[in-house]
């Protein structure tokens, strides 16, 4: 990926820098916080900082792009790295008799809405696929790729962090689409090209990418029709990967291509495709995903298992695919379909279980959680339940045993699912506003949910209304009685105690907490009573574990004793088992600002980066220090880079930040923090500008004028010639004209730095009853349309001029697509109406973002009449003063919100066939 940069210099007097840095440190000391080891790096005042206008996004490549990729020149790369190591996982005992201890599950999830434009480290959008039922899968594939965006797609770093914390390997996707969906045979040829020394450069790049970003391998889906030569090269390519990859890295092959290069989905492992799985005694792929069509002949699974055994491979290296993308748990093929005599024949492959959020919930979060529970556990919400029949969706928990990453100390969870409506720290509200940050998602309970009520009637759920740390907690709702008891089985574990540990549960609500532990090789659980103390509105119950030295905790449960007879709500905010001996964390060093952009001279977007060895460190908290010296929480990350958005210019013109390491006991270490500062250039006078909803109106007709001046404008002054009203100080003003004529509009925008004025001569044309020419869509009578390109004759630029929202112009082959319309003669144009992707029923993320419209009378000399940036709307209307032209050009400077594919369903050119239009002289 490449970022367009231009370099700017923020000039500040060096002595001022030292004064500001000194004030910053003094402010921290005044708050009673340590600052002795805080280093100061003032970026942007003396050193040059590259301007990078776009936010960092997850990577996606075509083969030739990946071949040229270098993390040193990819400004986004540091934001896409996962620093979370893959946790060790253990299997639980069976929670029901049907669970297999050997078969595996892979999830091919569209975890991010689009291939392009995925924020590297989360965003303000709460409605993301923040998967939490990791206990039921053995591998996640971050499914992505398209012919228009990129076909080699690593997982985003936040998703890798979440997977690794839960002990699940995660794979990137290599997707060669069928030719009907834009696949190109040359992409496959480029991919498997062999160098003169016998190496495969693209294979080396795949390994480099996985190693640098910290993920665990690749899912290779080759569905582009090819030839025997390319197929032979692909086999050699896979063998090369096996020989050069790290032992723990996985390569999963999709059942699609045959030995002769043709595409034929077998739905089985057989002699026609086995060469991509195993070659005599040589492993070619670690796993194979069998196409969905086995469902039409279930005997294929038995024969596939047999073939795997013949090849000296485990049948559980094969994954029988079930396509749940369209119907989710209503899919006709059920997980029980691969089970014979109570045992899965092969492993299970789930294609697009993100249905639970997408089509199954339409991105409604409460519905998503209900869908997730039914999909992964069962409709009873209890993995012990086996009452559902094989013709029903029995849940993944029915046949696949839970696994747990709770295998090392210290262990702390805040039951934070990685998104929320607001962010809390130690029970206090730190930041308002929706967010997603899967990078800091906690390990959720292994058992969702196993509750045994005696007298009480409690059920468990995810709760966004309150949290101790992060954005969520577990809510137990229902009723309790004074002598009632609820035992909640939380985690399978393998935690060896040294005798120095304590356990803690932080809760809120009318209940008493007791800890229940099962130890390895012991049959009777131990119940431990604790002592309590208040943490604000929360209660911490502490359990001493020193008498259990050298014992290994096998299962962790809580007993909740109610204290009221009324309906109740009890929140669980944190659970921990830890040694309270202070941990020594690595210092944060060399903090700097690696990139910046300024919006409207008022807001800064900053790319922070720093260095740390990461010893005993779980995450980093980033704070902004306000003008009163107080810390304001901005975000958290497990990475050593973070992107800050919309940082408003303070009165001092300087932004100050501190990056604080948080240890594995979840304590901050201010003494090992580092600070960084950014200075704005001097405030400039705002740029005045405005638009009108109409420019050609009848006498008395209302016109709405809207300021589009810089956000740094503090005052607006309108002068509207002939209008009623003719003066205003509002951002938007509605006016009308009592006489025909052409009228000039002027807007001045000012702030403490000065003012600018935008004047549009003869901007509004007002006509009376003597004008009778009909307003028409001139596009419908255009004689020709050309473009930078188009995918097919059914998606040519003419399809954007036919008055139908069922057809479109589409160009996926150019970075800056354009279309030009020849109206056949001079016409009088007053505006444009453009229908983007969303108007045609497609993804709003594909709406054109930045575009301009130019007009010409001779196809030689062009005048820009419209320039629009940061559009998100599915339909845009752009008004211009009455203008005569024959040729109109729509230039897409940013064809999608993040990608480059043009999708224009309609381009209406509004005006009159007549030229030389005159109105009375005003």
């Amino acid at each position: 990926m490449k970022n367009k940069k231009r370099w700017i210099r923020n000039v500040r007097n060096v002595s001022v820098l030292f004064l500001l840095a000194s004030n910053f440190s003094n402010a921290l000391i005044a708050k009673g916080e340590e600052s002795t080891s805080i280093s100061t790096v003032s970026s942007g005042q003396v050193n040059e900082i590259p301007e990078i206008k776009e936010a960092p996004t997850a990577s996606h490549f075509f083969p030739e792009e990946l071949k040229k990729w270098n993390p040193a020149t990819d400004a986004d790369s540091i934001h896409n790295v996962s620093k979370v190591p893959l946790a060790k996982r253990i299997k639980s005992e069976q929670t029901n008799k049907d669970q297999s201890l050997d078969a595996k599950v892979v999830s091919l999830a569209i975890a991010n809405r689009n291939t392009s434009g995925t924020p590297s480290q989360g965003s303000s959008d709460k409605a993301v696929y923040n998967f939490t039922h990791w206990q039921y899968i053995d591998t996640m594939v971050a499914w992505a790729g398209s012919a228009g965006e990129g076909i080699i797609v690593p997982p985003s770093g936040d998703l890798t962090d979440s997977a690794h914390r839960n002990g699940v390997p995660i794979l990137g996707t290599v997707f060669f689409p069928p030719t009907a969906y834009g696949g190109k045979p040359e992409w496959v040829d480029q991919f498997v090209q062999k160098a003169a020394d016998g190496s495969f450069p693209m294979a080396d790049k795949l390994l480099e990418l996985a190693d640098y970003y910290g993920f665990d391998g690749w899912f290779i889906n080759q569905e582009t029709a090819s030839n025997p030569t390319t197929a032979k090269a692909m086999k050699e390519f896979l063998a090369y990967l096996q020989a050069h990859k790290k032992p723990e890295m996985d390569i999963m092959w999709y059942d699609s291509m045959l030995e002769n290069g043709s595409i034929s989905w077998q739905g089985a492992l057989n002699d026609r495709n086995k060469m991509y799985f195993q070659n005599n005694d040589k492993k070619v792929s670690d796993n194979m995903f069998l196409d969905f069509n086995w469902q039409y002949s279930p005997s294929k699974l038995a024969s596939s298992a047999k073939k795997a055994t013949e090849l000296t491979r485990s049948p559980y290296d094969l994954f029988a695919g079930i396509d749940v993308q369209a119907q989710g748990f209503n899919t006709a093929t059920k997980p029980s379909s691969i089970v014979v005599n109570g045992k899965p024949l092969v492993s299970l492959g789930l294609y697009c279980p993100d249905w639970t959020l997408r089509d199954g919930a339409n991105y409604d979060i409460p519905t998503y959680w209900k869908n997730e529970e039914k999909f992964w556990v069962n409709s009873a919400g209890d993995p012990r339940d086996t009452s559902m029949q094989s013709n029903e969706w029995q849940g993944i928990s029915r046949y696949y045993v839970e696994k747990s990453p709770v295998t090392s100390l210290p262990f702390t969870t805040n039951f934070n699912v990685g998104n929320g409506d607001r962010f809390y720290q130690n029970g206090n509200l730190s930041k308002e506003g929706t967010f997603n940050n899967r990078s800091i998602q906690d390990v959720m309970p292994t058992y969702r949910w196993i509750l045994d009520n005696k007298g009480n009637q409690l059920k468990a759920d995810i709760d966004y209304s309150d949290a101790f740390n992060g954005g969520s907690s577990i809510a137990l709702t229902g009723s309790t009685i004074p002598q009632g008891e609820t035992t909640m089985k939380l985690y399978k574990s393998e935690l060896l105690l040294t005798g120095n540990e304590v356990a803690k549960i932080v809760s809120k609500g009318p209940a008493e907490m007791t800890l229940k532990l099962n130890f390895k090789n012991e049959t009777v659980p131990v119940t431990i009573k604790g002592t309590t103390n208040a943490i604000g509105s929360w209660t911490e119950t502490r359990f001493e574990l020193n008498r259990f030295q050298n014992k290994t905790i096998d299962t962790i449960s809580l007993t909740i004793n109610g204290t009221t007879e009324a309906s109740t709500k009890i929140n669980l905010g944190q659970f921990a088992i830890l040694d309270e001996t202070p941990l020594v964390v690595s210092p944060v060093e060399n903090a700097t600002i690696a990139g910046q952009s300024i919006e409207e001279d008022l807001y800064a977007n900053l790319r922070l980066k720093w260095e740390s060895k990461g010893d005993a460190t779980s995450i980093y908290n980033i704070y902004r220090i306000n003008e009163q010296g107080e810390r304001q929480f901005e975000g958290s990350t497990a990475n050593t880079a973070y992107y800050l958005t919309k940082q408003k210019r303070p009165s001092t013109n300087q932004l100050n930040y501190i990056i604080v390491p948080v240890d594995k006991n979840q304590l901050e270490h201010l003494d090992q923090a580092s600070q960084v500062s950014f200075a704005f250039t001097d405030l400039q006078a705002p740029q005045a500008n405005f638009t009108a909803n109409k420019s050609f109106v009848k006498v008395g007709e209302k016109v709405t004028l809207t300021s589009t001046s810089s956000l740094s404008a503090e005052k607006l002054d309108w002068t509207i010639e002939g209008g009623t009203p003719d003066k205003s100080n509002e951002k938007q003003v509605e006016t009308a004209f009592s006489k025909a004529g052409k009228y000039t509009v002027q807007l001045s925008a000012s702030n403490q730095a000065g003012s600018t004025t935008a004047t549009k001569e003869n901007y509004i044309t007002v006509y009376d009853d003597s004008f009778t020419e009909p307003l028409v869509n001139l596009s419908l009578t255009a004689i020709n349309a050309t473009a930078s390109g188009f995918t097919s004759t059914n998606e040519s630029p003419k399809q954007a001029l036919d008055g139908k929202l069922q057809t479109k112009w589409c160009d996926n082959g150019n970075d800056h697509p354009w279309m030009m319309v020849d109206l056949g003669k001079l016409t009088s144009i007053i505006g444009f109406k453009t229908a983007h992707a969303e108007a045609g029923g497609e993804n709003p993320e594909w709406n054109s973002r930045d575009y301009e419209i130019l007009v010409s009378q001779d196809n030689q000399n062009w005048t820009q009449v419209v320039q629009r940036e940061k559009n998100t709307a599915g339909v845009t209307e752009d008004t211009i003063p009455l203008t005569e032209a024959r040729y109109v050009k729509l230039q897409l400077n940013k064809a999608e919100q993040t990608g480059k594919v043009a999708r224009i369903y309609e381009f209406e050119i509004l005006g009159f066939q007549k030229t030389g239009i005159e109105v009375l002289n005003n």
Side-chain angles (χ1 to χ4, degrees):
M1 293 176 62
K2 297 179 179 178
N3 287 284
K4 294 184 176 179
K5 303 178 184 178
R6 66 182 176 86
W7 297 80
I8 69 169
R9 180 181 294 273
N10 287 318
V11 181
R12 282 288 182 271
N13 186 282
V14 174
S15 63
V16 174
L17 286 181
F18 290 123
L19 177 60
L20 290 170
S22 175
N23 289 342
F24 187 9
S25 295
N26 290 338
L28 290 176
I29 294 170
K31 293 294 173 183
E33 296 167 339
E34 299 177 58
S35 64
T36 53
S37 299
I38 299 177
S39 61
T40 302
V41 181
S42 295
S43 297
Q45 299 103 6
V46 176
N47 299 320
E48 292 179 329
I49 307 175
E51 182 187 51
I52 309 173
K53 290 189 174 182
E54 304 294 339
T57 57
S59 298
H60 50 93
F61 305 93
F62 291 102
E64 289 300 307
E65 291 174 334
L66 179 55
K67 189 179 293 185
K68 300 173 185 176
W69 177 76
N70 184 340
T73 57
D74 177 1
D76 288 357
S77 65
I78 58 172
H79 295 273
N80 292 319
V81 171
S82 172
K83 299 284 187 178
V84 178
L86 181 64
K88 173 189 173 184
R89 253 192 359 166
I90 55 172
K91 296 176 184 176
S92 170
E93 297 77 21
Q94 292 174 307
T95 54
N96 71 68
K97 61 182 176 57
D98 295 332
Q99 287 185 332
S100 171
L101 296 172
D102 300 312
K104 296 175 287 186
V105 179
V106 64
S107 168
L108 275 65
I110 305 175
N112 300 310
R113 294 197 191 191
N114 304 297
T115 292
S116 61
T118 296
S120 294
Q121 296 171 300
S123 70
S124 61
D125 182 7
K126 179 183 175 184
V128 297
Y129 186 63
N130 58 319
F131 179 68
T132 60
H133 285 88
W134 297 99
Q135 66 268 40
Y136 293 118
I137 70 171
D138 296 271
T139 304
M140 173 172 275
V141 174
W143 179 252
S146 76
E149 299 166 287
I151 62 171
I152 303 170
V153 190
S156 54
D158 61 336
L159 193 61
T160 303
D161 286 343
S162 182
H164 280 188
R165 192 172 288 113
N166 284 275
V168 175
I170 185 166
L171 312 184
T173 303
V174 179
F175 174 46
F176 295 102
T179 52
Y181 295 99
K184 298 180 180 180
E186 56 262 37
W187 288 339
V188 187
D189 293 337
Q190 293 164 0
F191 187 72
V192 300
Q193 187 176 27
K194 185 188 290 188
D197 62 2
S199 66
F200 287 87
M202 289 300 299
D204 292 332
K205 277 295 182 183
L206 292 183
L207 299 178
E208 178 190 0
L209 201 62
D211 188 59
Y212 180 83
Y213 283 158
F215 60 96
D216 308 291
W218 292 95
F219 182 93
I220 301 179
N221 181 356
Q222 202 307 82
E223 296 186 83
T224 305
S226 190
N227 56 64
T229 301
T230 302
K232 180 176 181 294
M234 180 64 79
K235 287 184 292 181
E236 295 177 5
F237 179 96
L238 293 172
Y240 183 90
L241 271 180
Q242 286 293 327
H244 291 81
K245 71 180 181 68
K246 294 178 179 178
E248 64 272 18
M249 185 178 288
D250 283 344
I251 304 298
M252 184 175 288
W253 177 259
Y254 177 55
D255 152 37
S256 52
M257 188 166 72
L258 304 184
E259 190 169 18
N260 63 3
S262 64
I263 303 301
S264 178
W265 301 272
Q266 299 298 292
L269 174 66
N270 57 30
D271 289 338
R272 303 184 73 192
N273 61 14
K274 67 180 182 181
M275 65 290 305
Y276 299 107
F277 181 63
Q278 185 79 14
N279 181 23
N280 297 321
D281 61 343
K282 299 289 187 182
K283 182 185 290 187
V284 181
S285 297
D286 297 284
N287 303 284
M288 180 182 280
F289 190 98
L290 304 180
D291 182 71
F292 320 122
N293 69 30
W294 62 265
Q295 61 187 297
Y296 304 113
S297 181
S299 62
K300 287 183 175 182
L301 296 185
S303 65
S304 297
K306 181 179 179 182
K307 178 61 68 175
T309 303
E310 291 173 359
L311 295 171
T312 67
R313 296 286 296 276
S314 168
Y316 295 126
D317 290 344
L318 304 176
F319 291 81
I322 298 180
D323 184 354
V324 296
Q325 182 176 22
Q327 298 294 325
F329 46 62
N330 300 311
T331 301
T333 305
K334 313 297 184 188
S336 57
S337 302
I338 72 172
V339 177
V340 175
N341 297 325
K343 180 180 179 182
L345 292 171
V346 293
S347 292
L348 176 64
L350 295 167
Y351 180 69
C352 296
D354 53 283
W355 170 92
T356 54
L357 175 68
R358 187 178 17 84
D359 293 348
N362 197 26
Y363 296 97
D364 176 70
I365 299 299
T367 305
Y368 163 66
W369 287 115
K370 292 177 183 177
N371 289 343
E372 280 282 282
E373 181 173 86
K374 182 174 180 179
F375 188 97
W376 293 101
V377 185
N378 50 47
S379 57
D382 185 338
R384 297 172 298 182
D385 190 292
T386 58
S387 62
M388 279 71 75
Q389 301 303 306
S390 60
N391 62 340
E392 301 175 90
W393 188 272
Q394 299 167 301
I396 305 305
S397 72
R398 178 63 172 268
Y399 298 107
Y400 302 91
V401 75
E402 294 82 7
K403 290 97 176 177
S404 171
V406 185
T407 57
S408 63
L409 292 169
F411 171 69
T412 302
T413 178
N414 297 289
F415 308 113
N416 171 35
V417 296
N419 66 348
D421 298 310
R422 55 195 67 84
F423 200 94
Y424 294 83
Q425 291 178 301
N426 296 320
N428 298 311
L429 178 62
S430 290
K431 190 174 185 180
E432 281 282 6
T434 57
F435 75 94
N436 78 76
N437 186 354
R438 295 175 296 197
S439 176
I440 58 171
Q441 182 189 92
D442 285 316
V443 176
M444 297 299 287
T446 310
Y447 308 103
R448 301 263 292 275
W449 307 96
I450 294 183
L451 285 88
D452 290 314
N453 286 298
K454 295 181 180 179
N456 296 340
Q457 295 297 321
L458 294 178
K459 63 177 184 177
D461 210 342
I462 304 299
D463 185 13
Y464 289 114
S465 67
D466 205 352
F468 188 69
N469 277 313
S472 60
S473 59
I474 292 175
L476 300 172
T477 57
S479 63
T480 61
I481 60 175
Q483 291 77 36
E485 181 178 286
T486 299
T487 300
M488 184 178 190
K489 190 175 182 181
L490 289 174
Y491 293 99
K492 169 68 178 177
S493 65
E494 188 178 84
L495 301 175
L496 176 62
L497 299 178
T498 65
N500 298 319
E501 291 83 10
V502 298
K504 300 177 181 180
I505 180 73
V506 178
S507 63
K508 179 185 286 191
E512 296 176 353
M513 300 287 165
T514 304
L515 183 64
K516 183 178 286 187
L517 300 178
N518 288 75
F519 291 101
K520 188 175 181 180
N521 300 323
E522 296 184 13
T523 57
V524 180
V526 176
T527 298
I528 309 166
K529 292 188 177 294
T531 58
T532 62
N533 67 283
I535 305 177
S537 61
W538 293 79
T539 298
E540 178 188 87
T541 306
R542 176 189 175 96
F543 308 93
E544 300 294 336
L545 303 179
N546 55 316
R547 60 192 172 104
F548 304 112
Q549 183 178 5
N550 296 324
K551 289 192 175 186
T552 299
I553 302 175
D554 185 75
T555 308
I556 302 167
S557 301
L558 283 178
T559 299
I560 299 100
N561 297 101
T563 60
T564 177
E565 294 186 11
S567 61
T568 189
K569 179 181 178 183
I570 302 160
N571 286 85
L572 305 180
Q574 185 185 77
F575 177 77
I577 298 178
L578 48 84
D579 181 340
E580 293 181 308
T581 303
L583 297 174
V584 179
V585 302
S586 302
V588 176
E589 299 175 311
N590 300 322
T592 188
I593 297 174
Q596 57 79 34
S597 66
I598 305 298
E599 293 184 26
E600 309 276 0
D601 203 28
L602 189 62
Y603 296 99
N605 301 313
L606 304 175
R607 294 174 176 232
L608 275 58
K609 71 173 184 177
W610 57 93
E611 296 175 2
S612 174
K613 293 180 180 178
D615 294 338
T617 303
S618 60
I619 59 171
Y620 303 89
N621 287 337
I622 297 92
Y623 296 92
R624 177 173 169 177
I625 308 300
N626 65 18
E627 294 171 74
Q628 291 74 44
E630 300 166 330
R631 285 190 291 161
Q632 295 178 340
F633 177 75
E634 290 291 341
S636 298
T637 181
N639 196 356
T640 53
Y642 195 75
Y643 181 65
L644 294 165
T645 64
K646 292 285 186 180
Q647 302 294 294
K648 191 173 183 179
R649 177 196 291 265
S651 60
T652 61
N653 284 342
Q654 175 156 309
L655 296 167
N656 299 314
Y657 300 96
I658 185 168
I659 301 156
V660 184
V662 181
D663 69 26
K664 293 185 178 181
N665 288 343
Q666 300 212 345
L667 297 176
E668 290 188 332
H669 290 253
L670 276 166
D671 60 326
Q672 299 298 325
S674 181
Q675 91 187 36
V676 63
S677 301
F678 175 82
F680 285 88
T681 55
D682 291 335
L683 183 69
Q684 303 297 308
Q687 292 300 308
N689 203 359
F690 60 90
T691 61
N693 68 327
K694 302 172 186 176
S695 65
F696 194 87
V697 296
K698 192 173 183 179
V699 169
E701 187 177 353
K702 296 288 186 180
V703 175
T704 301
L705 298 166
T706 302
S707 170
T708 57
S709 305
S710 302
L711 294 177
S712 60
E714 298 170 352
K715 183 181 179 183
L716 299 172
D717 290 293
W718 292 91
T719 301
I720 308 164
E721 180 188 11
T724 304
D726 62 352
K727 300 286 186 181
S728 178
N729 301 116
E730 302 298 322
K731 181 176 180 180
Q732 191 173 84
V733 57
E734 188 177 70
T735 190
F737 303 85
S738 59
K739 295 181 181 181
K742 293 186 176 182
Y743 296 93
T744 296
V745 180
Q746 180 177 284
L747 174 63
S748 293
S750 60
N751 60 21
Q752 57 185 301
S755 65
T756 62
T757 300
T759 301
K760 298 187 180 182
E761 300 282 349
N762 299 324
Y763 185 55
I764 306 296
T765 300
V766 181
Y767 64 91
D768 58 19
D769 290 335
S770 64
F771 181 79
T772 58
E773 187 75 14
L775 177 67
V776 297
N777 176 8
L778 298 168
S779 298
L780 297 175
T781 55
I783 65 169
N784 193 26
T786 56
S788 51
F790 45 90
T791 58
S792 70
T793 55
N794 292 327
E795 294 185 333
S796 76
K798 293 180 180 179
Q799 271 70 44
L801 308 176
D802 60 8
K804 301 175 183 177
L805 276 178
Q806 294 75 36
T807 59
K808 67 179 175 183
W809 163 56
C810 183
D811 178 3
N812 65 359
N814 294 279
D815 290 343
H816 303 290
W818 56 265
M819 63 174 288
M820 188 180 72
V821 182
D822 181 358
L823 298 174
K825 64 177 183 178
L826 280 181
T827 60
S828 298
I829 302 171
I830 63 168
F832 310 91
K833 183 176 181 180
T834 310
H836 307 275
E838 185 180 7
E842 297 194 82
N843 193 327
E845 295 288 327
W846 297 342
N847 290 337
S848 312
R849 197 188 82 166
D850 301 340
Y851 67 87
E852 56 186 298
I853 301 174
L854 304 95
V855 298
S856 173
Q857 295 188 357
D858 57 7
N859 200 17
Q860 298 294 322
N861 301 292
W862 292 87
T863 301
Q864 183 195 81
V865 291
V866 172
Q867 183 174 23
R868 188 182 281 248
E869 295 182 343
K870 298 183 179 178
N871 170 61
T872 59
V875 176
T876 52
E877 297 185 36
D878 297 291
T879 297
I880 66 172
L882 185 65
T883 302
E884 293 187 355
R886 171 175 172 173
Y887 302 94
V888 179
K889 185 176 185 179
L890 174 63
Q891 173 73 56
L892 303 182
N893 297 322
K894 188 75 174 175
E896 300 172 286
Q897 299 304 298
T898 54
K900 61 181 183 180
V901 179
R903 297 176 178 88
I904 301 297
Y905 278 82
E906 277 300 302
F907 182 48
E908 297 183 20
I909 303 169
L910 305 174
F912 308 97
Q913 297 288 356
K914 179 181 178 181
T915 56
I917 294 175
E918 295 183 1
V919 295
L920 293 176
N921 189 345
N922 56 298

